[in-house]
Amino acid sequence: ALPAPETTPEEAPAVSLPDEAELRAKAFRAVVKDDTASLAEVIVDRVPNSVWSSWQNKAGKDLLTLSEERGSSAAYSLLAKALGLLKERPRESYEEREAVWVLLAGEVQPRRATVQEDTPVEADDVLLEYWDGDEPASRVDRCFVLKSCA
């Protein structure tokens, strides 16, 4: 008998051809339904990236393209992370009186603001006062806050 080929740690176990067709169909259904649990079961646990990243449906669409076209944002996020297209931004601390940009959902233009208190890396929100308008200082989720370069 021939020795089994070695696999790298990031590869999932090899999938036989009948299983691959079933798993491919399951992955495409999961993308259409935006079902990340079922999708992760296939692309994370069962099939290596090198295999599922080349899968196409009858229309010639791969999983990532299909998720984008169908508006399956959770599936797109999972696929893009698995392919290395998305990277998590590192958490930063903020100092009192530091100038920042605030990127609010639904707004095209970022807003300028000043940090009102020292904010450690562990904090989930930042106390800010906007430069425009008369709004009182408010807490903003840190994922919307970017440090200014200047």
Side-chain angles (χ1 to χ4, degrees):
L2 295 172
E6 292 185 31
T7 58
T8 58
E10 62 272 354
E11 286 184 10
V15 180
S16 67
L17 286 177
D19 284 350
E20 184 178 344
E22 182 181 317
L23 291 170
R24 178 188 318 205
K26 183 175 181 175
F28 278 98
R29 277 194 305 273
V31 166
V32 170
K33 293 179 179 178
D34 206 15
D35 178 3
T36 55
S38 297
L39 183 59
E41 184 182 315
V42 174
I43 71 167
V44 175
D45 300 336
R46 306 274 310 271
V47 182
N49 280 14
S50 59
V51 174
W52 67 257
S53 62
S54 62
W55 284 348
Q56 292 186 346
N57 64 8
K58 292 176 184 172
K61 310 279 186 197
D62 61 23
L63 291 167
L64 191 68
T65 304
L66 184 65
S67 68
E68 201 170 10
E69 286 180 355
R70 294 293 180 106
S72 302
S73 57
Y76 180 89
S77 178
L78 179 67
L79 291 163
K81 283 179 188 173
L83 291 169
L85 300 174
L86 293 179
K87 296 194 176 14
E88 191 169 331
R89 192 166 46 112
R91 293 176 71 105
E92 300 181 279
S93 61
Y94 297 96
E95 297 178 11
E96 185 176 356
R97 303 184 50 82
E98 185 175 4
V100 294
W101 289 103
V102 183
L103 305 167
L104 296 172
E107 296 290 327
V108 177
Q109 186 71 28
R111 292 179 69 186
R112 299 278 292 169
T114 303
V115 177
Q116 297 298 299
E117 65 185 13
D118 289 344
T119 308
V121 172
E122 301 82 29
D124 290 329
D125 53 34
V126 183
L127 183 62
L128 301 174
E129 186 174 334
Y130 293 103
W131 291 11
D132 58 344
D134 295 329
E135 305 171 43
S138 60
R139 295 204 171 273
V140 176
D141 192 303
R142 75 175 314 111
C143 68
F144 297 116
V145 181
L146 292 173
K147 289 189 175 219
S148 298
C149 292

